[in-house]
Amino acid sequence: MRARSVVLVALTLAAAPALAQPVPPGAAAPAGAPGMGARPAGPPVPQGWTMSVGVGTLFGTAWQGSRDTALGVIPDLRINYKDRLFFSIPEGLGWNAVNTREWKAGPLIKPRFGRNAENGGSPFQVLGGSTALRGMGDIGIAGEAGAFVERRFGRMGSWRARAELRQGFGAHEGLVGDLSLSYAGRSGRLLYSVGPRATLASRDYMQTYFGVDAAQAARTGLVVSRPQGGLVSYGLGGTLIRPLDRSRTVSLFGGIDQLGDRPASSSLIRQRGQRAAFNLGVVYSYRFRL
């Protein structure tokens, strides 16, 4: 979850809380991103437990704010119980405690994978990367626990508004909020969704991922920067899904995002990075009952 989202591997939401992509009518909705990148599945969710496994590739900005790009091989694992419980790498673990035709809401916990200072990459990076973070130190894995609320409206529930608020623990202890609005539909067998997204965060999050303290400044030559809380990023994301049959799907997803003024004012971004970011990925997945 989710930014959102500007990371090498959107499925890990490693650098930005990428928002979940909108789900076309009739498609399964494992509720939830990250940055960047969450992908709705194609076939309807059967009753009981189901699992989806798959693999794909993602090309995009190496880390949020980077000038460099990288290619990653990404796993796709999702587990659902009816339309109540959901688990996946990008969307985390959650429960639709409120679950009606128009409203969904409940608790949610998401992972945020670390950032490697040596190559700027995630655990799934295979090509490319960035040397701009050398001297900044690694950032470990963080968890983010909180809640979400989602409202569907319009004809056939084609519009979806969603908000998440999560408290970080581990590598960062900041508050992170994701907002998104999306429109979903279909053309023949092709399912599509598109919409704007934004991520806000508190000072602790900003300083963990964009700040430069005195020790980092001494190692890198960057100016000490302590960005305050506010808008992390805003952008547009979309997904195309082509079901091959009742079990298999191929999905294309991508997005473009822009850093907000406060993270962009950091010397890390001004001297070694840029505000604009993008990602583009494709995933093949297979769903079955447990």
Side-chain angles (χ1 to χ4, degrees), residues 63-83:
W63 50 274
Q64 188 175 25
S66 176
R67 297 173 182 171
D68 304 307
T69 58
L71 178 71
V73 174
I74 51 178
D76 185 31
L77 172 65
R78 300 166 186 272
I79 300 174
N80 290 76
Y81 177 67
K82 298 183 178 179
D83 195 23

Side-chain angles (χ1 to χ4, degrees), residues 6-8 15 60-70 115 119-120 129-133 210 259 268-269 272-278:
V6 190
V7 291
L8 163 65
T61 305
W63 50 274
Q64 188 175 25
S66 176
R67 297 173 182 171
D68 304 307
T69 58
R115 190 175 73 184
N119 61 16
S130 170
T131 61
L133 295 173
F210 301 102
L259 286 178
L268 174 63
I269 305 302
R272 297 188 178 184
Q274 64 181 17
R275 297 183 68 162
F278 76 97

Side-chain angles (χ1 to χ4, degrees), residues 123-145:
F124 306 110
Q125 179 174 305
V126 294
L127 291 173
S130 170
T131 61
L133 295 173
R134 290 179 181 176
M136 292 294 295
D138 295 342
I139 299 177
I141 297 175
E144 295 173 359

Side-chain angles (χ1 to χ4, degrees), residues 60 141 224 281 287:
I141 297 175
V224 172
R287 167 173 268 156

Side-chain angles (χ1 to χ4, degrees), residues 112-164:
R112 185 177 296 274
F113 281 60
R115 190 175 73 184
N116 188 312
E118 185 64 23
N119 61 16
S122 80
F124 306 110
Q125 179 174 305
V126 294
L127 291 173
S130 170
T131 61
L133 295 173
R134 290 179 181 176
M136 292 294 295
D138 295 342
I139 299 177
I141 297 175
E144 295 173 359
F148 71 93
V149 60
E150 177 180 306
R151 171 76 158 88
R152 289 183 179 271
F153 57 96
R155 184 175 179 272
M156 301 293 292
S158 295
W159 287 95
R160 184 184 76 159
R162 184 180 175 92
E164 296 182 12

Side-chain angles (χ1 to χ4, degrees), residues 7-238:
V7 291
L8 163 65
V9 180
L11 294 181
T12 64
L13 301 180
L19 300 179
Q21 296 301 324
V23 182
M36 347 123 111
R39 182 190 51 79
V45 177
Q47 296 298 307
W49 290 95
T50 62
M51 175 180 286
S52 175
V53 294
V55 65
T57 61
L58 184 110
F59 176 73
T61 305
W63 50 274
Q64 188 175 25
S66 176
R67 297 173 182 171
D68 304 307
T69 58
L71 178 71
V73 174
I74 51 178
D76 185 31
L77 172 65
R78 300 166 186 272
I79 300 174
N80 290 76
Y81 177 67
K82 298 183 178 179
D83 195 23
R84 286 290 183 181
L85 299 175
F86 56 90
F87 168 78
S88 71
I89 293 175
E91 294 142 359
L93 175 65
W95 171 40
N96 292 322
V98 176
N99 193 1
T100 70
R101 185 179 181 87
E102 295 181 344
W103 290 94
K104 291 183 186 295
L108 179 70
I109 182 169
K110 286 186 174 183
R112 185 177 296 274
F113 281 60
R115 190 175 73 184
N116 188 312
E118 185 64 23
N119 61 16
S122 80
F124 306 110
Q125 179 174 305
V126 294
L127 291 173
S130 170
T131 61
L133 295 173
R134 290 179 181 176
M136 292 294 295
D138 295 342
I139 299 177
I141 297 175
E144 295 173 359
F148 71 93
V149 60
E150 177 180 306
R151 171 76 158 88
R152 289 183 179 271
F153 57 96
R155 184 175 179 272
M156 301 293 292
S158 295
W159 287 95
R160 184 184 76 159
R162 184 180 175 92
E164 296 182 12
L165 182 64
R166 306 182 303 276
Q167 172 66 54
F169 58 92
H172 83 85
E173 298 182 353
L175 277 173
V176 180
D178 290 337
L179 301 171
S180 66
L181 176 66
S182 60
Y183 178 81
R186 67 170 65 232
S187 176
R189 297 194 64 192
L190 185 68
L191 311 175
Y192 62 86
S193 56
V194 63
R197 58 197 185 189
T199 296
L200 300 96
S202 66
R203 180 177 61 181
D204 185 273
Y205 177 94
M206 292 286 199
Q207 294 188 1
T208 298
Y209 294 97
F210 301 102
V212 180
D213 62 24
Q216 291 170 325
R219 294 193 299 265
T220 63
L222 296 171
V223 176
V224 172
S225 298
R226 298 184 176 88
Q228 299 299 301
L231 179 66
V232 178
S233 65
Y234 58 94
L236 184 72

